[in-house]
Every structure is written in C-alpha cells, then in structure tokens.
Amino acid sequence: ADGFVLAAPRTRRIDAAALLTRSSDQLEPCNGNIELRIEDDRPLHGPRPVYKVNIADTCWQWKQAPLDGVRHIAVSVGEMPWNYQLWKDITAVVKRPTTTPDGELEIHVDGCDGKPVAALPLVPAADGGQSMLHAELPALGGKHDLCLITTGDPSKGRLWAVGKVQLSP
C-alpha cells in the first residue's frame, strides 16, 4: 500500500522439461534432522550454487515423480567440506558403506532401502564444485517416489549435496 517493493518480480518457465526437474529446495529430506541451505565454497569468483541439505543424512526424496516414458536421470551434485565437527549430536550422522573411494549417489525407487536402480560413482565430482551425473533408469511408468542417497561418512570431511534432478526420455 505504501509503494515499498519487497522483492523484484520473478519469472518461471513451465514446460515439459521444467515439470521433470526438481531443485534441492523442491526435494524432501528423508528425515527431518538438521536441514540447512548451504552455499558451495566454489567457484572462488562469481555466483555459487546453494543447496538444501541435511548435514546428518545426505538423502533426498522426490515424491510421486512422473516416470511415464522416463529412462534417463541427470543429477547435479556438489562437494563441500563438512565443517560440523563441534556439532553436539555428531552421533546422529548417517554413515553408509561405499564401493568406491569417493562414494556413490544411489537412486532408489519407492523407498530408500533395498537395492538401488542406479549407483553413480561420485569420483567425477570429487574435485569440488558442481558436476552432473547421468544414469539410465529401468522402464517403470506411472508415479513413483525417488530416493537419492550419497554413500560414505560426511563427518570424515566431505559433504555431498544434490543441486538439481532432471528426468528425461
């Protein structure tokens, strides 16, 4: 009423690709422990990505993802230092076994337990910054919950975060 503008107008494109894409802000945590919005420490100059991540459990869910005709998933991931050694509840940190030295991004369907439908090594993203990982998905069809989990022990110094998930044919 007084003419004071709270923020600049925002625009958003809604098309087929946008309907098959979710940012970390649009994903749900697997548990509600300690969820933070964390700015990546790279690049040194210019804009940096910001991730919504649970520092105790690096696990995200896309509820009721539309999988009709979807056979490919691309996930942007970022690697940041885990700087929470003095956190009072460090015993709450979820540690998952790895099969590669840098860990994996596991993709599960309709739950976060059991065998993943894809496991993407995180080594391409291990140099810091943000990287895109790609995998083929089985033909599922319909709507299913997707669960994305990074393996390893974040309290050992490396925090993985999901930036964006994109599905495609």
Side-chain angles (χ1 to χ4, degrees):
D2 65 359
F4 180 73
V5 178
L6 295 177
R10 298 179 189 183
T11 60
R12 186 169 182 181
R13 169 178 252 152
I14 305 296
D15 57 14
L19 295 173
L20 294 174
T21 303
R22 295 291 183 272
S23 70
S24 64
D25 285 330
Q26 296 169 309
L27 300 172
E28 294 183 29
C30 295
N31 71 54
N33 202 345
I34 299 292
E35 210 175 14
L36 302 174
R37 287 183 46 80
I38 303 174
E39 181 179 26
D40 201 336
D41 59 341
R42 295 189 185 143
L44 295 177
H45 305 288
R48 298 177 181 182
V50 176
Y51 307 102
K52 184 172 80 172
V53 61
N54 180 336
I55 62 170
D57 187 1
T58 51
C59 180
W60 301 260
Q61 295 182 76
W62 180 343
K63 298 283 190 172
Q64 297 297 293
L67 299 182
D68 283 329
V70 169
R71 293 303 306 268
H72 183 261
I73 187 168
V75 183
S76 66
V77 295
E79 180 265 330
M80 301 170 289
W82 196 85
N83 294 321
Y84 308 96
Q85 290 80 5
L86 299 178
W87 181 32
K88 67 178 181 159
D89 197 12
I90 198 163
T91 58
V93 174
V94 177
K95 302 164 181 81
R96 295 181 176 91
T98 63
T99 57
T100 62
D102 294 303
E104 300 79 38
L105 174 69
E106 294 182 347
I107 300 163
H108 298 256
V109 176
D110 294 329
C112 298
D113 298 323
K115 186 175 179 179
V117 295
L120 309 161
L122 288 166
V123 69
D127 63 348
Q130 193 171 45
S131 299
M132 285 297 277
L133 304 176
H134 301 269
E136 295 298 318
L137 295 175
L140 296 167
K143 292 188 176 188
H144 295 271
D145 293 346
L146 294 179
C147 181
L148 295 89
I149 299 171
T150 62
T151 62
D153 179 357
S155 66
K156 297 290 186 203
R158 180 177 277 168
L159 177 65
W160 293 106
V162 166
K164 181 173 72 171
V165 180
Q166 188 165 21
L167 304 172
S168 61

